Amino acid sequence: QVQLVESGGGLVQAGGSLSLSCTDSRRTLSISSRAVGWFRQAPGKEREFVAARSWDSRSTNYADSAKGRFSISRDNSKNTVVLQMNSLKPEDTAVYYCAAVYSPFVPTAPTTSDEYDYWGQGTQVTVSS
């Protein structure tokens, strides 16, 4: 059973940075052959896309709210994808989820949640003003 795990969330002041990591805790999922995306959900709001990267890093997508502040990277040798978040704002407060989808033949970086088939449990990010 595949199980994605996010880590790195926490409480940070506005303007600060956090680095979120996503990996397969049971090492049964080869993230290296999968596109990985990050989504977030704030209280009372729908889940929204943040960033995604194709399996081979040829394609990357960011939400407008993330452009210039967030960066998604991956280290396939470590089976890990990282979301680096800088210049955080209170409106970035949410539960952040990573998701993966098998896509070894097409270097896509999907931006909608229904394109992904594996999800983590989420990690809380709280940005104080």
Side-chain angles (χ1 to χ4, degrees):
Q1 183 72 25
V2 172
Q3 183 173 1
L4 295 177
V5 177
E6 305 92 342
S7 62
L11 174 64
V12 65
Q13 289 188 333
S17 299
L18 282 175
S19 180
L20 306 183
S21 295
C22 173
T23 190
D24 168 36
S25 64
R26 302 186 184 184
R27 304 194 65 79
T28 58
L29 175 68
S30 175
I31 291 181
S32 63
S33 61
R34 287 169 166 79
V36 175
W38 286 93
F39 292 77
R40 68 186 183 186
Q41 187 166 18
K45 295 187 177 181
E46 294 186 353
R47 187 173 298 186
E48 65 176 5
F49 169 74
V50 177
R53 198 169 184 94
S54 62
W55 72 273
D56 60 355
S57 295
R58 290 171 60 186
S59 180
T60 305
N61 286 315
Y62 293 96
D64 288 343
S65 60
K67 289 178 181 177
R69 300 188 301 126
F70 295 3
S71 177
I72 184 171
S73 62
R74 60 189 305 152
D75 185 340
N76 287 341
S77 67
K78 296 181 179 179
N79 217 37
T80 298
V81 175
V82 173
L83 181 68
Q84 178 65 41
M85 305 187 296
N86 300 322
S87 302
L88 284 162
K89 305 174 182 180
E91 51 264 44
D92 293 319
T93 295
V95 177
Y96 283 71
Y97 300 89
C98 69
V101 60
Y102 186 60
S103 60
F105 306 113
V106 181
T108 60
T111 61
T112 59
S113 58
D114 59 3
E115 296 181 85
Y116 290 89
D117 47 18
Y118 295 110
W119 290 83
Q121 294 299 308
T123 185
Q124 176 70 46
V125 170
T126 303
V127 184
S128 63
S129 58

